[in-house]
Amino acid sequence: MDSSTTLIAVTIAVALLFDFTNGFHDTANAVATAIATGALRPKVAVAMSAVCNLAGAFVSVAVAKTISGGIIDEHAGIRPPVILAALAGAVLWNLATWLLGIPSSSSHALVGGLIGATVASVGLQGVNGTAVVGKILVPAVLSPLIGGVVAYAATRAAGRLSDPGRGAGRAEQAGRADRATERAGGRGARAGQVLAAALVSLAHGTGDGQKTMGVITLTLVTAGSLPAGSAPPLWVIVTAGLTMALGTYTGGWRIIRTLGTGLTRLGPRQGCVAQTSAAAVLLTTSHLGFAVSTTHAVTGSVAGAGLATPGGVLSRTTVRAMLVSWVLTLPAAGLVAALAALLTEQGAWGQGATVALLVCAALAFWARSRRTAVTARSVAPQTAPSAAGSTAAAPTTAAA
């Protein structure tokens, strides 16, 4: 195996490492609220999400084409070492925000890494600014707003239709019959929440799974193994889908805790609405080829549903931490990737050093996480959902 083949293999391996971190980093987007409301047990939730993520990888390749040939100019002299550096920046940002329990965007970490490494290697002419603005930055702003507005309106409408306030009063007066009706409504909302969680998982596989496919395809194009503009080969789709599913199954419990109980308090009804709103946004944008962040869409929907709930509040600490991470994701991942690109451009020793530093950093993050371990038991609801469809636990702030 010559050096160029080795470099391609290593770059693809690091791309799959990013895919794995993307899986456990973004699991919370699909299942956090379902776990928090008791609709799904933690282990069952991540298993279902993993299967749906894998299925979603086969739905479309529109986003993969955006990543492989839309953001970066394939003819600008981009080579596999640049992509390796981009992936290093994205992986490190994913691990840092996972350790802090912050729901940041894996998609934007990848895009930021690609932009930073490309600019450091060939200059600004290697970046398609129009595509970055139109398919990355604008959707980044609009997706949480749209998801939030849709979830807020739907939650208010659902509240008026079910009239939970007056229903509770009647339950006190009429006794068991009305309480049984309300419990049945809660069970229906939880069933709907399970379906919505599956849809978000499918949408995540359709959107985020394609981003790794796009990076691997871009690697093969820049190495001359595929012609420019190629769609991901079948083996790339299968490998990326399986890797993301495996990452999803590992849990990502820190971010699940933050998004499930750290941002706001949702009952089964509100959780169902939030997840359905997010799934609608994600599936629509993936079909259009926009590299939308699953985290942004889901977080916006959860916040909208929480604010529409009577007495609903958002944790200012969690909101502030998320907004800061959202703003920093692109430039921070880009800066790390640019520094890595300067190293990978030095030849085989620089590329080996980059991989070695990445592995050491990943092990350091993992070792630090063991000091304050968060497990499936940590995110299971501590109180049973009330009859009105909301949990008794109040929002908690994100923990490291």
Side-chain angles (χ1 to χ4, degrees):
M1 184 181 293
D2 58 29
S3 58
S4 61
T5 304
T6 301
L7 176 59
I8 294 171
V10 169
T11 303
I12 291 175
V14 176
L16 294 175
L17 173 61
F18 168 78
D19 203 29
F20 183 82
T21 66
N22 192 350
F24 70 71
H25 194 283
D26 290 1
T27 308
N29 297 326
V31 302
T33 58
I35 292 173
T37 62
L40 284 169
R41 294 193 302 274
K43 287 291 188 178
V44 174
V46 297
M48 180 202 71
S49 184
V51 172
C52 292
N53 264 283
L54 177 59
F58 295 90
V59 171
S60 168
V61 294
V63 175
K65 290 181 179 179
T66 296
I67 296 295
S68 64
I71 296 171
I72 304 301
D73 185 356
E74 298 168 322
H75 305 288
I78 303 301
R79 295 178 294 111
V82 177
I83 301 173
L84 175 61
L87 290 165
V91 169
L92 288 176
W93 183 256
N94 267 1
L95 291 175
T97 50
W98 161 75
L99 181 63
L100 295 172
I102 299 175
S104 69
S105 171
S106 297
S107 306
H108 291 179
L110 178 59
V111 171
L114 285 171
I115 293 173
T118 299
V119 171
S121 178
V122 302
L124 287 171
Q125 69 271 17
V127 179
N128 186 342
T130 302
V132 171
V133 173
K135 294 201 171 186
I136 305 297
L137 298 181
V138 171
V141 175
L142 293 181
S143 59
L145 294 178
I146 294 173
V149 169
V150 171
Y152 181 90
T155 301
R156 293 297 296 269
R160 285 194 295 270
L161 289 173
S162 59
D163 200 7
R166 290 197 295 269
R170 286 194 302 269
E172 293 177 0
Q173 297 173 6
R176 294 181 179 178
D178 284 340
R179 283 197 297 272
T181 300
E182 214 165 305
R183 284 194 297 271
R187 287 193 296 270
R190 292 187 189 94
Q193 196 174 6
V194 172
L195 177 59
L199 285 175
V200 172
S201 298
L202 183 73
H204 183 259
T206 304
D208 283 43
Q210 290 184 58
K211 289 161 188 143
T212 299
M213 299 175 203
V215 170
I216 295 176
T217 303
L218 180 60
T219 301
L220 297 173
V221 169
T222 58
S225 300
L226 287 176
S230 295
L234 179 60
W235 71 267
V236 172
I237 296 174
V238 172
T239 305
L242 286 171
T243 303
M244 175 168 284
L246 180 61
T248 300
Y249 184 69
T250 63
W253 307 114
R254 292 172 179 272
I255 301 177
I256 287 176
R257 180 175 61 182
T258 298
L259 198 55
T261 60
L263 178 60
T264 189
R265 179 180 64 187
L266 296 181
R269 186 184 301 112
Q270 295 83 22
C272 178
V273 170
Q275 295 294 88
T276 304
S277 301
V281 172
L282 290 168
L283 289 171
T284 301
T285 53
S286 293
H287 178 71
L288 296 174
F290 293 114
V292 169
S293 165
T294 306
T295 301
H296 289 193
V298 172
T299 304
S301 298
V302 169
L307 289 174
T309 304
V313 295
L314 301 181
S315 167
R316 293 183 180 180
T317 302
T318 303
V319 170
R320 184 163 52 247
M322 287 193 301
L323 290 177
V324 169
S325 74
W326 289 5
V327 171
L328 291 180
T329 295
L330 277 168
L335 177 60
V336 174
L339 294 174
L342 297 177
L343 188 57
T344 59
E345 290 287 303
Q346 302 306 309
W349 74 267
Q351 295 152 17
T354 300
V355 174
L357 290 171
L358 177 60
V359 171
C360 290
L363 291 174
F365 280 119
W366 178 82
R368 177 63 182 84
S369 73
R370 295 298 88 197
R371 298 185 192 176
T372 53
V374 180
T375 65
R377 184 173 299 178
S378 305
V379 302
Q382 301 302 309
T383 55
S386 67
S390 62
T391 58
T396 57
T397 56

